[in-house]
Amino acid sequence: MSEHGSTPERPDGPPGGIEIGISTFLEATPDPVTGERISHAERIRRAVEEIVVADQAGLDVYGIGEHHRPDYACSAPAVVLAAAAPLTKRIRLTSAVTVLSSDDPVRVYQQFATLDALSNGRAEIMAGRGSFIESFPLFGCRLEDYDELFSEKLELLLEVCRNEIVTWRGKFRPPIDGRGVYPRAVQNPLPVWIATGGNPESAFRAGLLGLPVCFAIIGGMPERFRPLVELYKRAAEQAGHDVSKLKIATHSHGFVADTTEEAAEKFYLPTQAQMNKIGRERGWPPYTRETYDAARSLRGALYVGDPEYVAEKIVLLHRNLGVTRFFLHVNVGTMPHKDVLRAIELLGTRVAPLVRKELARSGGNAGSDKNEGSGGE
């Protein structure tokens, strides 16, 4: 029982050893075949329907990322999640991520505390520095302060989460002298995660603070993140946190269909279009079918296939990295809405039960065998 209200009962650990859910950036990119572009308004409305379907399918969490560019429809994750809150019953609702460096931590807390009220204790904040930089000039922040901004604002966010009355001073924001921050969240404290694309400093910071961490694994072999997981745990142990209670999530692109062949064909062109668009901005090599097929292999970073194959890859990931939460990022580009809803349904009704059954059978075995797996495709 929180002093601010009654928090819904939740198990001590994730169901079956791992939580499984969806992450999205609300992509609004042109169709790679027809060139047609979905409106931001329609994409946002579709997201609410996706959250409802994910909840009905038994998924544990749905996360929306914040962006400030034309190819993504959501700059205010808390608002979209709030629209779905009264339509759902148990699914956790989180940002994925909140670009904390260019936002006001007090307002971030207030928005997600409001979401927490609407969902009766199902809100979370995933804070990150952001892999895109559009929000920095938009809100008058200097890129030269990229790291300092995040460190200071994370400190303030955690202070507001812990304390109703806040006294605080920093470099980038006017001081707060004994002011109350309202409304207070149902959960006390409101959960805050740290998101990172593989930055060791971010993993180390999360460990020192004892905060849950989410790694974005969108290329290469997922097990290459094992040193970062170990760094995170060492930092937590060094700071006196209970390592057994740490939460580790991953976010990876993927798609589930009734057959692996169907999944592979439907997901390829949207993935190629999106990766090549971002690649041109960042100087990446062209994204080819060979790149895609290699990433779909059992040890690759794409989770594309039928329910059995995707489940096998998630089990392998759990054993390699000890993850307690897995986000599947389904809609990397504008895909047919019915296909996205079907993928979400299959993830909840077919993939998640297979994963939990196997982990229960094997006793979890997190990190026990880096080379386990039947080989898949």
Side-chain angles (χ1 to χ4, degrees), residues 142-155:
R142 301 190 326 149
L143 282 173
E144 294 88 341
D145 300 323
Y146 187 78
D147 292 316
E148 269 192 291
L149 278 166
F150 183 73
S151 296
E152 179 176 299
K153 292 189 176 187
L154 178 63
E155 176 189 299

Side-chain angles (χ1 to χ4, degrees), residues 34-278:
T34 67
E36 295 180 2
R37 184 190 294 269
I38 188 174
S39 71
H40 287 172
E42 178 63 21
R43 184 66 191 92
I44 290 169
R45 289 192 293 269
R46 288 182 180 183
V48 175
E49 184 178 356
E50 291 173 15
I51 299 170
V52 172
V53 169
D55 185 57
Q56 293 172 344
L59 288 171
D60 301 294
V61 59
Y62 189 102
I64 300 178
E66 172 194 342
H67 293 87
H68 302 266
R69 44 187 289 147
D71 43 344
Y72 301 112
C74 186
S75 60
V79 178
V80 181
L81 295 168
L87 305 176
T88 55
K89 295 180 179 179
R90 62 171 300 276
I91 195 166
R92 306 287 291 175
L93 303 169
T94 183
S95 56
V97 304
T98 293
V99 185
L100 189 61
S101 305
S102 57
D103 211 334
D104 185 321
V106 174
R107 291 299 285 154
V108 169
Y109 176 85
Q110 290 173 326
Q111 291 159 9
F112 281 86
T114 301
L115 171 62
D116 208 41
L118 290 168
S119 63
N120 193 25
R122 291 184 280 129
E124 298 179 1
I125 301 169
M126 190 183 296
R129 296 179 294 182
S131 62
F132 294 100
I133 62 172
E134 289 82 5
S135 65
F136 285 77
L138 185 63
F139 298 113
C141 300
R142 301 190 326 149
L143 282 173
E144 294 88 341
D145 300 323
Y146 187 78
D147 292 316
E148 269 192 291
L149 278 166
F150 183 73
S151 296
E152 179 176 299
K153 292 189 176 187
L154 178 63
E155 176 189 299
L156 176 54
L157 177 62
L158 295 176
E159 179 69 18
V160 173
C161 286
R162 287 189 295 259
N163 298 299
E164 178 177 332
I165 307 300
V166 177
T167 297
W168 182 89
R169 277 170 171 71
K171 176 180 177 181
F172 298 102
R173 187 197 189 283
I176 304 174
D177 294 310
R179 307 298 298 181
V181 178
Y182 306 104
R184 300 308 296 175
V186 174
Q187 300 171 92
N188 186 24
L190 184 64
V192 175
W193 291 64
I194 299 294
T196 175
N199 184 295
E201 291 181 0
S202 295
F204 188 75
R205 176 193 286 119
L208 285 181
L209 294 171
L211 296 176
V213 66
C214 180
F215 297 102
I217 304 179
I218 60 173
M221 299 173 67
E223 55 256 46
R224 69 188 173 89
F225 278 75
R226 182 185 285 256
L228 289 176
V229 171
E230 293 173 350
L231 174 65
Y232 167 65
K233 291 181 176 181
R234 286 199 304 273
E237 186 174 29
Q238 173 185 325
H241 301 293
D242 185 345
V243 175
S244 68
K245 294 182 178 179
L246 296 177
K247 298 178 181 179
I248 302 169
T250 59
H251 148 102
S252 293
H253 294 163
F255 188 73
V256 191
D258 292 289
T259 69
T260 291
E261 293 74 16
E262 178 190 359
E265 291 309 310
K266 286 184 174 180
F267 200 59
Y268 172 59
L269 287 179
T271 299
Q272 182 191 44
Q274 185 75 343
M275 296 301 285
N276 278 336
K277 176 179 173 56
I278 298 172

